[in-house]
Amino acid sequence: MIRYPDRKNETIGVTAPSSGVAPDMHEVLKKSIERLEERGFKLQVGDTPWTQQEAKSAPAEVRAEELMKMLSDPSVDLVMPPWGGELLVEVLEFLDFSKIELKWILGYSDISMLLLAVTLNTGYATAHGVNFVDLRGPESDDTTAKWLDVLQTKQGESIAQVSSEKYQKEWDHDHPTPVIFNLTEDTEWKTVSGEAEQFKGRLLGGCIDVIRHLIGTPYGDVDGFRERHIPGEPVLWYLENCEMNVADLKRSLTQMKYAGWFNHISGIVFGRSPANQEISGYTVEKMYEDLSDELGVPIAYDIDLGHIPPQITFVNGAYATIDVENGKGKVEMEFK
């Protein structure tokens, strides 16, 4: 079975197991702290969020020690890194999964590797969603704002989220609205079939660029997770591509298939991507078609997920029903 945190989420632990915040960006981190304190949260901010050198916040052992301290501290309800980064993979060998308290971990990008590893190795639900620094505005758009509602959902309850009205095409740090994201483009969820599709299954996923590196390691045992925690149930993968071209994306997905990650699945949903560059005429749309044919499952894409905001909060381990129709979508998650 999957276990879901049942906390008031009053105290947020901020640590940087991947990248920290360089001094010239400290104001962004300070503003996020101020905003969340204004909303009534208590903040425990570690040392690693304030440092950044050589593509990481600190040496792996230091990052792992601070992360484990917050994950095992009963006074911390929610662990939320400032943002993603590049080298979270280095800390995994120093984590003691048996000492992790049942609490939420929230983030995306490189943090999705931590989320997936924790869920696979403990059966604890983890939350893929907004970064800590993206909560620094006086307001949040409707899609982003659902993160707290999701984390306040208890075992046995369900929560629904719907597709955004608009998404952000480009970062504009000077736009005058109180919402951090500059939402200008009409959102349209699409399916390979071109028809309405419904997906049902246990959610697993994250940023393909990084979670693919769990394959063949003790931290990426999807088959073992199935047997221990969701026997007989299908997996519904949610995936997003940050930097890969279409050929690299297809290689990564094929590796996942060879590793058995796509055995007994109900489908895959892909987020909007800032990458997906075509190679010799091979487009991402054609790649989605090929993958759907190979796996014999429906595929949806351009959903609210990942590096082109805003994004829905997806919970690893939750039982989800995802409906896609006429360019719109709905995600209902049951915490069972």
Side-chain angles (χ1 to χ4, degrees), residues 4-26:
Y4 301 87
D6 184 8
R7 294 169 176 264
K8 295 182 179 180
N9 296 313
E10 294 176 341
T11 301
I12 301 175
V14 184
T15 184
S18 183
S19 286
V21 181
D24 63 343
M25 293 285 286
H26 277 183

Side-chain angles (χ1 to χ4, degrees), residues 4-62:
Y4 301 87
D6 184 8
R7 294 169 176 264
K8 295 182 179 180
N9 296 313
E10 294 176 341
T11 301
I12 301 175
V14 184
T15 184
S18 183
S19 286
V21 181
D24 63 343
M25 293 285 286
H26 277 183
E27 285 303 313
V28 171
L29 182 56
K30 290 177 182 177
K31 180 58 69 175
S32 299
I33 293 169
E34 291 173 8
R35 291 295 185 198
L36 286 163
E37 287 179 337
E38 288 172 0
R39 294 180 60 182
F41 294 98
K42 299 175 184 177
L43 277 293
Q44 289 191 21
V45 184
D47 295 328
T48 59
W50 304 102
T51 57
Q52 176 72 0
Q53 188 174 7
E54 298 177 346
K56 51 189 176 291
S57 64
E61 296 93 333
V62 175

Side-chain angles (χ1 to χ4, degrees), residues 288-324:
Y288 291 146
E289 291 178 17
D290 291 346
L291 187 65
S292 180
D293 288 342
E294 290 172 19
L295 300 177
V297 297
I299 285 177
Y301 58 97
D302 286 358
I303 71 169
D304 294 298
L305 166 68
H307 286 77
I308 299 183
Q311 61 178 313
I312 283 172
T313 302
F314 286 84
V315 173
N316 286 318
Y319 187 86
T321 300
I322 300 180
D323 290 289
V324 184

